[in-house]
Every structure is written in structure tokens, then in C-alpha cells.
Amino acid sequence: MVLLLSKKLFLGALQVAVIILSILTLLFFLQRLTGDPAAVLVGHNATPELLETVREQMGLNQPLHIQYATFLGKALQLDFGESNRFQKPALELVMARFPNSLLLSVSALTLAVLIGVPSGIYAALHFRRADGVVVNLFAGVLQSLPSFWLGLVLLLIFSVQLKWVGSVSNLEDNLLRRMALPTITLASFYVARLIRLVRSGLIDELHEAHILTAHSKGLKPRRVLFVHALRNALIPVVAFVTLDLSFMVGGSIIVETLFSYSGMGDQMVKAIFNRDYALVQASMFVIVVFVLVVNMLSNRLYQMIDPRIRA
Amino acid sequence: MNSSIKIPTSPVVLPAPSELLHAPPPLNLPRWRWRMLQRQIRRYGEGVIAGIVLTILVMAIIFAQHLTPHSPTAASMRERFKPPFWLEGGSTAYPLGTDNLGRDLLTRTLYGGQVSLGVAFVASTAATLIGASLGLICGYLGGVFDRLLLRLTEFWVSFPFLVLALAVIAVVGSSPLVLIILMSLSGWVYPAQVTRAQTLKMRELEYVHASIALGASSQHVIRLHIFPAIISVNIVVWTLSFGALVLVESSLSFIGLGVSPPTPSWGNMLNDSRTYLQDAWWMSVVPGLALMMTILCVNTVGDALQKFSSRHLYA
């Protein structure tokens, strides 16, 4: 048993290591493909001597495999170099933004669960009635709504027309005013997905034989719903909430850019426009490691909730 | 079929199975037909309506050159920020208003659709073809190939695609071709998984076993037994991934890393509109509505196709 567990852990760690290694390799070669990083740094009207000194400093005169090894060695020490725009270590800049991004993702996910799960239960219980159908249709429309467009329309209504919030989320505002629109925008898609997941899962579950048994035992309908049906129906929902985090990361990049929310995604997109590769690399590294860690944790959680898939 | 063969002991002559299948319905009452029709409408009605709307939309986008007198890129500064025709100051020459450079918004939305839908169409087709072939080959061969495919899909799914796309675009720049390649690379996993599962299921069916036992070649089995089942599944997958990729393309263009102006795409039109949110709300509403309508219709059609294929086809 212990052997089995350690083998599994080992395989998981190996997988993470392979993924991180391939990302680093990709980052390295993509950067080298585009030409001379030193030339980007010194600008196009620099003297050849200056260019040569910068190349010397950055170690660009060495053969490619030595450069690659140095890059990997530095990356494993979490050293991605300095951001050439802010003159600070890139990883430090990214980690300064990390709590903001985490706050946005977590609050959006919380909001989505708080709205999505009860609405899904409602839609499932009334799935033949008009109101249940309306909830389901609403979820369908919400799912097709591009999040950035929803964000634009929300800005149009609440910022331009009603002037309740500013059009960019600046840090001086209080937390609610700053977070409200980005959170709602990011949560919208997940609300829709959750409604549909909970609804279809619960409808299937309510038609199972053990629900009929529970009813015929004379249990209260509420107990049957929450203890017998919902617990099974929520298993895929838990998987969705945790496993789909990679989509959440992508979505939050878009939403952060739209609202100029000071998170990792916004910083990364700006760094791309500024050709600040150290910052881009550090951002990517942090995001990918974060997603991988959450994926591993959620696999654990999933196995804990549903003993059937522990095999 | 067998009616010429008399079976003396049994007074009832049962029809052969093939006759049962093609026999006319036992009742042909209007009410029966009506019930049937009602049920079909309830099941597929929204899918059909969405399909019709989508067809009209796509036709308008494809034939945009012949439908509008305006150019999508030529600016005219005198016509800036015209509102839609029902508002004061609007004119029917520009039915949905003009943008910050005086370009007709309806024209730009139609032309933008050519780019957005074109890129998504090519990418989703490529992704489905790649994924389905991989899924078919690995699912049919099994063994090492199958395990390899499983590992690869696991690896791919756990990877945040948009981050990868951004990294590649940061370095090589953005063009429709780059977008198509990136989107195909992101989209092949789902068709591969679905096709693999379907292939495994079909391969274990008894009539397929029988066919192999009778000496059928792999080529014969794949072509005759597995291929039809895969086609129907992949049509659904293709539809849904098309909708998803339209969204990806417009998201990338929206943050300025997809199709670059002056070529209109729904994403970069929405990006342009952010600056003029105060002055011209129609600039953000019109392309957004087009985008939403397209994705909604594609998803609805996809759902209906899924329902249909799970009821009537191999699933």
C-alpha cells in the first residue's frame, strides 16, 4: 500500500517535472528563435561595441547548449533575470501580482458556486416546468456570452451610464468597487457551466432506483434530495471546479486586461507588448506551476470524495 | 421474403426482421402524426431555429462583398461616430452606425466575421481531423500507442493553452496562420479522446468480432464498421469546437494579440471600441452581438446534433 502510494506520488512528480522542463525548453528556444535578445535590450541605434559588451554580459557568445544549460540552471533556482523595463528581478514582480490574481480567481469561483449550484438544483427539480426551462435557457445564453464582451457591456452600464464604478480598477478604490465587475465577468461563464452540470447530473440521479427506495422508506423529500441525490450529483461538479482551473487562468488574463486589474495576466500581456521576455517567462512559469499544483491537489481531493475511483 | 416457404406446424407467419424495420407505421392517424411532430419539435426545434439563423448569418458574412456598398477599411473622417439609424443623427446609409474612423459598422462586422469564422473554421476542421485520426489509430491498435495517446492527452489538458498561445505570439508575432496553427494544436485533444472511446467500443461489438473472425482485414473493419460511428460523433465534436475556437480567436484579438488592425475581426473591433465607450456604445454592442449570436447558434445546433446522434446513430 505504502509502496503503491509512493509510486503514484513519484509518477505524479515525474509528470510535473517533465511538464516544467518542456515549458522551460519551449521558453528558451522561442526566445532564441526571434533573434538577438541583446539587440532588443540596447535598441537599434547602439554602437557595435556596446552590443558586443551586452552580449558578453548576457552570455550570448557561448554555444547554444551551454546557454541552455545555464538558463535551466538559473530557472531551477527561480532566477529568470531582470525585467528590462522595471530593472527588478522578474519573478519578484510576478509574485507581487500573484495575490491579486488569486483573489480574483477565488472570489469569482466562490460567486459562481454560490449562484450556480442552487440555480442548478432549482432547474433540475423543476425541469419540466417553465421556470426550470427558463433557468436552463439562461445558462445556455450565459455560456455563449464571451466574457470580455459581457465585461464591456457591464462597463457601459455601470461605469459609463450609472457611474457607480470607475472604468479601470485602480488600487485606491475600496475592495468592493474594485473587484465587483471583474469578479462578475469572470464568474459568468462558470455560473452557466455549473448550472448545466448540476442540472443534468441531478436529473439523472433523481431517476435512479435508490432515490425511489429512499422515498418509499418514507424519508423527507429534503433529506432524499440533499443526502441521497445531491451528494452523487456533486462529484463531477467538484471535479469541474478544481480541474477547470486552467481555463480560469486563461479567462482571468482576458478579464484582467479588460479592467486593467493589477494581476499576473495583465502584467504578462503588457510585458508581451513591451518585449520584456524575462517578465513573460517568469509569468508563464508561475502560472503553469500554479495550475499544475492545483491539478495535483484536485486529483487528491477527487479521490477522497469518491472512493470508487481510488483504484 | 420468406413467404414462399411454408411452415406447416405454425399457423402464424412471422415477418422477417428486415420487413419489420421497413414496414409502414401501424397507424397513420393525424393525431398520431401530430404527437410525433410535437415531440420532434420539442426535441430539436431550437436546434433547427438556431441552424436557420446561423445559415443566414454565415451567408451574409460570406457574401459581404456583394451586400454592402461600403469598404471595411477606408476611413472617412466626416462620417465619424454616426449612431444607428433609429437614433437622432443616424442615417439609413449606415444602418448600424459608424466607428471612430467613419467606417460603416455593419460592413465591418460582416467582414470581421469572414476573418473570425474563417480562422475558426479552418482550425476546428484541422483539429478534428488530427484528433480523430490519432484517436482512431491509437484506439484500434491499442497497446503502447493507446497508452501513449492517453499520457499525451493528459499532459495536454493540464496545460493552460492561452498562456502557451500568448508565449508563442509574444515571440513569433501574430497572423491568421499562427492563430490557426495554435488553435489546431489546442483543439485536437477532445476529438482524439472521443474517437478513441468510440473506436474501443465499436471494436468490442459482437458483429465486429464476427467480421474479424470471418477473416476481414483491418482496413475493411475500419472502413465498414468503425468509420461510420466515428463520423457522427466527430460532427458533433467539430461543431462544438468551432464555437469554442471562435471565442478563442476573438479573445486573442481582443487583448490585441490576434488578428491585427486594420483587418477587422470581431475581437479587435471590440478592442477598438473600449476607447470610445463614452461616445459610441454601438461600437461595442454590434460586433459583440454578432459574436454572441454566432456562438449561441453554434452551441445550440451542436447540442441538438448531439441529442440526435445519441438517439438515432451509434452512441
mmCIF file of all heavy atoms in Angstrom, chain B residues 208-236:
data_model
loop_
_atom_site.group_PDB
_atom_site.id
_atom_site.type_symbol
_atom_site.label_atom_id
_atom_site.label_comp_id
_atom_site.label_asym_id
_atom_site.label_seq_id
_atom_site.Cartn_x
_atom_site.Cartn_y
_atom_site.Cartn_z
ATOM 1 N N VAL B 208 -18.566 -6.938 -34.985
ATOM 2 C CA VAL B 208 -17.222 -6.620 -35.443
ATOM 3 C C VAL B 208 -16.285 -7.803 -35.184
ATOM 4 O O VAL B 208 -15.480 -8.186 -36.042
ATOM 5 C CB VAL B 208 -16.714 -5.341 -34.755
ATOM 6 C CG1 VAL B 208 -15.309 -5.007 -35.220
ATOM 7 C CG2 VAL B 208 -17.640 -4.182 -35.045
ATOM 8 N N HIS B 209 -16.457 -8.419 -34.001
ATOM 9 C CA HIS B 209 -15.705 -9.638 -33.718
ATOM 10 C C HIS B 209 -15.979 -10.696 -34.777
ATOM 11 O O HIS B 209 -15.072 -11.365 -35.281
ATOM 12 C CB HIS B 209 -16.086 -10.186 -32.338
ATOM 13 C CG HIS B 209 -15.328 -9.548 -31.224
ATOM 14 N ND1 HIS B 209 -13.968 -9.637 -31.102
ATOM 15 C CD2 HIS B 209 -15.744 -8.807 -30.169
ATOM 16 C CE1 HIS B 209 -13.575 -8.981 -30.034
ATOM 17 N NE2 HIS B 209 -14.638 -8.456 -29.449
ATOM 18 N N ALA B 210 -17.266 -10.834 -35.117
ATOM 19 C CA ALA B 210 -17.641 -11.837 -36.106
ATOM 20 C C ALA B 210 -16.974 -11.550 -37.435
ATOM 21 O O ALA B 210 -16.468 -12.451 -38.114
ATOM 22 C CB ALA B 210 -19.162 -11.846 -36.257
ATOM 23 N N SER B 211 -16.964 -10.254 -37.779
ATOM 24 C CA SER B 211 -16.363 -9.860 -39.047
ATOM 25 C C SER B 211 -14.871 -10.212 -39.074
ATOM 26 O O SER B 211 -14.364 -10.738 -40.066
ATOM 27 C CB SER B 211 -16.575 -8.363 -39.246
ATOM 28 O OG SER B 211 -15.910 -7.935 -40.381
ATOM 29 N N ILE B 212 -14.200 -9.958 -37.925
ATOM 30 C CA ILE B 212 -12.773 -10.283 -37.851
ATOM 31 C C ILE B 212 -12.578 -11.798 -37.913
ATOM 32 O O ILE B 212 -11.690 -12.318 -38.605
ATOM 33 C CB ILE B 212 -12.160 -9.704 -36.558
ATOM 34 C CG1 ILE B 212 -12.184 -8.177 -36.609
ATOM 35 C CG2 ILE B 212 -10.731 -10.186 -36.362
ATOM 36 C CD1 ILE B 212 -11.801 -7.494 -35.332
ATOM 37 N N ALA B 213 -13.477 -12.531 -37.232
ATOM 38 C CA ALA B 213 -13.377 -13.993 -37.234
ATOM 39 C C ALA B 213 -13.558 -14.554 -38.633
ATOM 40 O O ALA B 213 -12.985 -15.583 -38.987
ATOM 41 C CB ALA B 213 -14.415 -14.581 -36.285
ATOM 42 N N LEU B 214 -14.370 -13.865 -39.439
ATOM 43 C CA LEU B 214 -14.580 -14.333 -40.810
ATOM 44 C C LEU B 214 -13.424 -13.966 -41.723
ATOM 45 O O LEU B 214 -13.449 -14.237 -42.911
ATOM 46 C CB LEU B 214 -15.874 -13.735 -41.374
ATOM 47 C CG LEU B 214 -17.148 -14.373 -40.834
ATOM 48 C CD1 LEU B 214 -18.354 -13.580 -41.290
ATOM 49 C CD2 LEU B 214 -17.239 -15.813 -41.291
ATOM 50 N N GLY B 215 -12.408 -13.282 -41.152
ATOM 51 C CA GLY B 215 -11.211 -13.001 -41.931
ATOM 52 C C GLY B 215 -11.153 -11.620 -42.526
ATOM 53 O O GLY B 215 -10.402 -11.378 -43.463
ATOM 54 N N ALA B 216 -11.961 -10.675 -42.000
ATOM 55 C CA ALA B 216 -11.915 -9.323 -42.540
ATOM 56 C C ALA B 216 -10.598 -8.654 -42.184
ATOM 57 O O ALA B 216 -10.069 -8.869 -41.099
ATOM 58 C CB ALA B 216 -13.077 -8.501 -41.986
ATOM 59 N N SER B 217 -10.096 -7.844 -43.101
ATOM 60 C CA SER B 217 -8.847 -7.132 -42.822
ATOM 61 C C SER B 217 -9.144 -5.915 -41.949
ATOM 62 O O SER B 217 -10.285 -5.472 -41.837
ATOM 63 C CB SER B 217 -8.208 -6.675 -44.123
ATOM 64 O OG SER B 217 -9.059 -5.757 -44.759
ATOM 65 N N SER B 218 -8.072 -5.371 -41.343
ATOM 66 C CA SER B 218 -8.235 -4.166 -40.512
ATOM 67 C C SER B 218 -8.867 -3.045 -41.316
ATOM 68 O O SER B 218 -9.732 -2.318 -40.847
ATOM 69 C CB SER B 218 -6.879 -3.696 -39.989
ATOM 70 O OG SER B 218 -6.338 -4.642 -39.133
ATOM 71 N N GLN B 219 -8.384 -2.942 -42.569
ATOM 72 C CA GLN B 219 -8.885 -1.888 -43.440
ATOM 73 C C GLN B 219 -10.401 -2.012 -43.621
ATOM 74 O O GLN B 219 -11.147 -1.040 -43.507
ATOM 75 C CB GLN B 219 -8.177 -2.008 -44.786
ATOM 76 C CG GLN B 219 -8.311 -0.780 -45.651
ATOM 77 C CD GLN B 219 -7.922 -1.072 -47.078
ATOM 78 O OE1 GLN B 219 -7.416 -2.147 -47.395
ATOM 79 N NE2 GLN B 219 -8.168 -0.125 -47.947
ATOM 80 N N HIS B 220 -10.847 -3.245 -43.838
ATOM 81 C CA HIS B 220 -12.271 -3.496 -44.035
ATOM 82 C C HIS B 220 -13.058 -3.147 -42.779
ATOM 83 O O HIS B 220 -14.092 -2.476 -42.848
ATOM 84 C CB HIS B 220 -12.469 -4.974 -44.395
ATOM 85 C CG HIS B 220 -13.908 -5.374 -44.513
ATOM 86 N ND1 HIS B 220 -14.606 -5.274 -45.691
ATOM 87 C CD2 HIS B 220 -14.777 -5.861 -43.590
ATOM 88 C CE1 HIS B 220 -15.851 -5.678 -45.488
ATOM 89 N NE2 HIS B 220 -15.978 -6.049 -44.225
ATOM 90 N N VAL B 221 -12.550 -3.582 -41.627
ATOM 91 C CA VAL B 221 -13.272 -3.352 -40.381
ATOM 92 C C VAL B 221 -13.381 -1.856 -40.106
ATOM 93 O O VAL B 221 -14.448 -1.344 -39.770
ATOM 94 C CB VAL B 221 -12.563 -4.056 -39.205
ATOM 95 C CG1 VAL B 221 -13.173 -3.637 -37.884
ATOM 96 C CG2 VAL B 221 -12.646 -5.555 -39.380
ATOM 97 N N ILE B 222 -12.261 -1.149 -40.297
ATOM 98 C CA ILE B 222 -12.282 0.289 -40.020
ATOM 99 C C ILE B 222 -13.239 0.995 -40.965
ATOM 100 O O ILE B 222 -14.077 1.793 -40.557
ATOM 101 C CB ILE B 222 -10.860 0.880 -40.146
ATOM 102 C CG1 ILE B 222 -10.010 0.424 -38.964
ATOM 103 C CG2 ILE B 222 -10.909 2.393 -40.196
ATOM 104 C CD1 ILE B 222 -8.594 0.911 -38.994
ATOM 105 N N ARG B 223 -13.154 0.644 -42.253
ATOM 106 C CA ARG B 223 -13.944 1.366 -43.236
ATOM 107 C C ARG B 223 -15.429 1.079 -43.078
ATOM 108 O O ARG B 223 -16.255 1.972 -43.120
ATOM 109 C CB ARG B 223 -13.489 0.988 -44.645
ATOM 110 C CG ARG B 223 -13.869 2.040 -45.685
ATOM 111 C CD ARG B 223 -13.386 1.632 -47.046
ATOM 112 N NE ARG B 223 -13.904 0.323 -47.417
ATOM 113 C CZ ARG B 223 -13.262 -0.550 -48.183
ATOM 114 N NH1 ARG B 223 -12.068 -0.232 -48.644
ATOM 115 N NH2 ARG B 223 -13.781 -1.710 -48.472
ATOM 116 N N LEU B 224 -15.761 -0.171 -42.835
ATOM 117 C CA LEU B 224 -17.174 -0.549 -42.853
ATOM 118 C C LEU B 224 -17.845 -0.410 -41.492
ATOM 119 O O LEU B 224 -19.004 -0.023 -41.402
ATOM 120 C CB LEU B 224 -17.299 -1.994 -43.346
ATOM 121 C CG LEU B 224 -18.612 -2.278 -44.079
ATOM 122 C CD1 LEU B 224 -18.611 -1.551 -45.409
ATOM 123 C CD2 LEU B 224 -18.788 -3.768 -44.265
ATOM 124 N N HIS B 225 -17.123 -0.717 -40.423
ATOM 125 C CA HIS B 225 -17.785 -0.772 -39.121
ATOM 126 C C HIS B 225 -17.455 0.398 -38.216
ATOM 127 O O HIS B 225 -18.300 0.872 -37.477
ATOM 128 C CB HIS B 225 -17.406 -2.070 -38.400
ATOM 129 C CG HIS B 225 -17.832 -3.290 -39.153
ATOM 130 N ND1 HIS B 225 -19.114 -3.454 -39.601
ATOM 131 C CD2 HIS B 225 -17.158 -4.383 -39.542
ATOM 132 C CE1 HIS B 225 -19.207 -4.608 -40.241
ATOM 133 N NE2 HIS B 225 -18.021 -5.194 -40.231
ATOM 134 N N ILE B 226 -16.206 0.839 -38.224
ATOM 135 C CA ILE B 226 -15.815 1.850 -37.249
ATOM 136 C C ILE B 226 -15.987 3.257 -37.787
ATOM 137 O O ILE B 226 -16.452 4.144 -37.088
ATOM 138 C CB ILE B 226 -14.359 1.603 -36.787
ATOM 139 C CG1 ILE B 226 -14.313 0.243 -36.096
ATOM 140 C CG2 ILE B 226 -13.878 2.683 -35.859
ATOM 141 C CD1 ILE B 226 -12.972 -0.147 -35.599
ATOM 142 N N PHE B 227 -15.662 3.432 -39.058
ATOM 143 C CA PHE B 227 -15.689 4.768 -39.631
ATOM 144 C C PHE B 227 -17.050 5.463 -39.516
ATOM 145 O O PHE B 227 -17.113 6.601 -39.071
ATOM 146 C CB PHE B 227 -15.222 4.708 -41.087
ATOM 147 C CG PHE B 227 -14.587 5.975 -41.536
ATOM 148 C CD1 PHE B 227 -13.426 6.435 -40.932
ATOM 149 C CD2 PHE B 227 -15.147 6.721 -42.553
ATOM 150 C CE1 PHE B 227 -12.839 7.618 -41.329
ATOM 151 C CE2 PHE B 227 -14.562 7.905 -42.959
ATOM 152 C CZ PHE B 227 -13.416 8.353 -42.350
ATOM 153 N N PRO B 228 -18.163 4.782 -39.887
ATOM 154 C CA PRO B 228 -19.453 5.480 -39.792
ATOM 155 C C PRO B 228 -19.759 5.955 -38.380
ATOM 156 O O PRO B 228 -20.304 7.043 -38.199
ATOM 157 C CB PRO B 228 -20.454 4.402 -40.222
ATOM 158 C CG PRO B 228 -19.680 3.420 -40.981
ATOM 159 C CD PRO B 228 -18.308 3.431 -40.414
ATOM 160 N N ALA B 229 -19.388 5.170 -37.376
ATOM 161 C CA ALA B 229 -19.668 5.560 -36.000
ATOM 162 C C ALA B 229 -18.846 6.773 -35.599
ATOM 163 O O ALA B 229 -19.301 7.623 -34.836
ATOM 164 C CB ALA B 229 -19.358 4.398 -35.063
ATOM 165 N N ILE B 230 -17.638 6.838 -36.128
ATOM 166 C CA ILE B 230 -16.757 7.943 -35.752
ATOM 167 C C ILE B 230 -17.197 9.246 -36.393
ATOM 168 O O ILE B 230 -17.140 10.308 -35.794
ATOM 169 C CB ILE B 230 -15.317 7.597 -36.161
ATOM 170 C CG1 ILE B 230 -14.776 6.572 -35.189
ATOM 171 C CG2 ILE B 230 -14.434 8.801 -36.153
ATOM 172 C CD1 ILE B 230 -13.488 6.015 -35.629
ATOM 173 N N ILE B 231 -17.675 9.135 -37.652
ATOM 174 C CA ILE B 231 -18.107 10.334 -38.366
ATOM 175 C C ILE B 231 -19.175 11.072 -37.576
ATOM 176 O O ILE B 231 -19.065 12.267 -37.310
ATOM 177 C CB ILE B 231 -18.662 9.951 -39.759
ATOM 178 C CG1 ILE B 231 -17.537 9.446 -40.651
ATOM 179 C CG2 ILE B 231 -19.340 11.148 -40.399
ATOM 180 C CD1 ILE B 231 -16.683 10.504 -41.238
ATOM 181 N N SER B 232 -20.203 10.347 -37.144
ATOM 182 C CA SER B 232 -21.318 11.019 -36.481
ATOM 183 C C SER B 232 -20.868 11.689 -35.194
ATOM 184 O O SER B 232 -21.277 12.803 -34.890
ATOM 185 C CB SER B 232 -22.439 10.031 -36.211
ATOM 186 O OG SER B 232 -22.023 9.091 -35.267
ATOM 187 N N VAL B 233 -20.004 11.017 -34.433
ATOM 188 C CA VAL B 233 -19.515 11.610 -33.190
ATOM 189 C C VAL B 233 -18.706 12.867 -33.488
ATOM 190 O O VAL B 233 -18.840 13.885 -32.822
ATOM 191 C CB VAL B 233 -18.641 10.594 -32.426
ATOM 192 C CG1 VAL B 233 -18.029 11.248 -31.221
ATOM 193 C CG2 VAL B 233 -19.467 9.419 -32.009
ATOM 194 N N ASN B 234 -17.896 12.785 -34.534
ATOM 195 C CA ASN B 234 -16.994 13.906 -34.785
ATOM 196 C C ASN B 234 -17.687 15.116 -35.381
ATOM 197 O O ASN B 234 -17.172 16.231 -35.269
ATOM 198 C CB ASN B 234 -15.835 13.467 -35.677
ATOM 199 C CG ASN B 234 -14.721 12.879 -34.847
ATOM 200 O OD1 ASN B 234 -14.196 13.541 -33.972
ATOM 201 N ND2 ASN B 234 -14.408 11.623 -35.090
ATOM 202 N N ILE B 235 -18.841 14.892 -36.019
ATOM 203 C CA ILE B 235 -19.585 16.059 -36.493
ATOM 204 C C ILE B 235 -20.001 16.911 -35.306
ATOM 205 O O ILE B 235 -19.856 18.134 -35.303
ATOM 206 C CB ILE B 235 -20.812 15.620 -37.329
ATOM 207 C CG1 ILE B 235 -20.325 15.086 -38.671
ATOM 208 C CG2 ILE B 235 -21.754 16.786 -37.545
ATOM 209 C CD1 ILE B 235 -21.396 14.494 -39.515
ATOM 210 N N VAL B 236 -20.482 16.250 -34.247
ATOM 211 C CA VAL B 236 -20.851 16.970 -33.029
ATOM 212 C C VAL B 236 -19.636 17.673 -32.441
ATOM 213 O O VAL B 236 -19.674 18.865 -32.108
ATOM 214 C CB VAL B 236 -21.463 15.999 -32.001
ATOM 215 C CG1 VAL B 236 -21.749 16.734 -30.709
ATOM 216 C CG2 VAL B 236 -22.711 15.361 -32.544
#
